[in-house]
Amino acid sequence: MVSVKIGLTGGIGSGKSFVANLLKQRGIKVFDCDSMAKKLMTEDAELVRKIREIVGDEAYSFGTDGSLRLNKALLAAFLFKNEENAEIINNVVHPSLARVFESWCEKNDDKVVVMEAAILFESGFDKLVDFTVMVFANKDIRIKRAMKRDGASRKQIVGRMKRQANQAELRKKADFVILNNGNENLLSQIDLIFNNFIK
């Protein structure tokens, strides 16, 4: 059973996943909500049934090897059509994700584990952890990073950001903040926070 659960979040281009990888290098186990959600949407039979009911049977197809495949383009189109659609999908995915996370924690005997979630507060997942850490960077830096990473235009990235919660407001909710504008020492900030829990 895990002693301390820490939620790690940050907006697009903040460097959240980079910080998560640094934590993994330090031997801390990280539960990646985004990857697990994608996995559950093809492997959890009940979740697959619900998504088919909401989006339609065309939300899935079968690969040549017989494996179930999610029509990501169709699901993305459904999600981004309006906020109501996104909420409908989240309301069926998030409970499954929460159950898997809690089961994962029960099976671990690590002193500290991390839940990496882009929408930690918006999903209510912050209630599943003991402390929250937000990776924060200035907007212009985040836009440049995301453009470079995704090969997307500034307009596309800004559009995605508008669909995310206000980062300055979320920063106020976090127990700890890691600044990542490019000139801060990430490792020293990580050690300052996580050494409190590992000792």
Side-chain angles (χ1 to χ4, degrees), residues 1-2 5 31 94-108 115 125 127-129:
M1 188 75 166
V2 170
K5 303 170 206 170
F31 182 93
H94 289 169
S96 296
L97 201 53
R99 283 194 297 273
V100 172
F101 173 70
E102 290 177 329
S103 174
W104 180 79
C105 288
E106 286 173 10
K107 292 171 185 172
N108 270 304
M115 170 194 266
F125 287 165
K127 295 177 179 65
L128 300 177
V129 297

Side-chain angles (χ1 to χ4, degrees), residues 7-10 16 31 33-34 115-121 123 125:
L8 177 70
T9 192
K16 167 182 61 66
F31 182 93
C33 283
D34 187 44
M115 170 194 266
E116 180 189 354
I119 52 172
L120 182 73
F121 294 105
S123 63
F125 287 165

Side-chain angles (χ1 to χ4, degrees), residues 128-194:
L128 300 177
V129 297
D130 303 302
F131 299 95
T132 56
V133 178
M134 180 174 186
V135 184
F136 187 87
N138 294 333
K139 186 176 180 179
D140 283 343
I141 290 172
R142 290 169 54 219
I143 290 170
K144 288 174 185 174
R145 284 178 183 156
M147 285 172 64
K148 185 178 179 181
R149 182 193 67 195
D150 299 342
S153 68
R154 183 181 181 88
K155 185 179 179 181
Q156 287 173 316
I157 298 302
V158 170
R160 289 183 205 170
M161 283 182 166
K162 284 179 180 176
R163 290 193 290 268
Q164 291 190 329
N166 184 291
Q167 297 300 293
E169 290 301 314
L170 293 184
R171 181 179 178 176
K172 294 175 187 175
K173 295 182 179 182
D175 295 308
F176 302 95
V177 175
I178 293 175
L179 293 176
N180 185 27
N181 288 311
N183 52 1
E184 300 90 358
N185 188 321
L186 283 180
L187 294 177
S188 65
Q189 291 183 80
I190 287 169
D191 288 341
L192 194 63
I193 295 168
F194 283 85

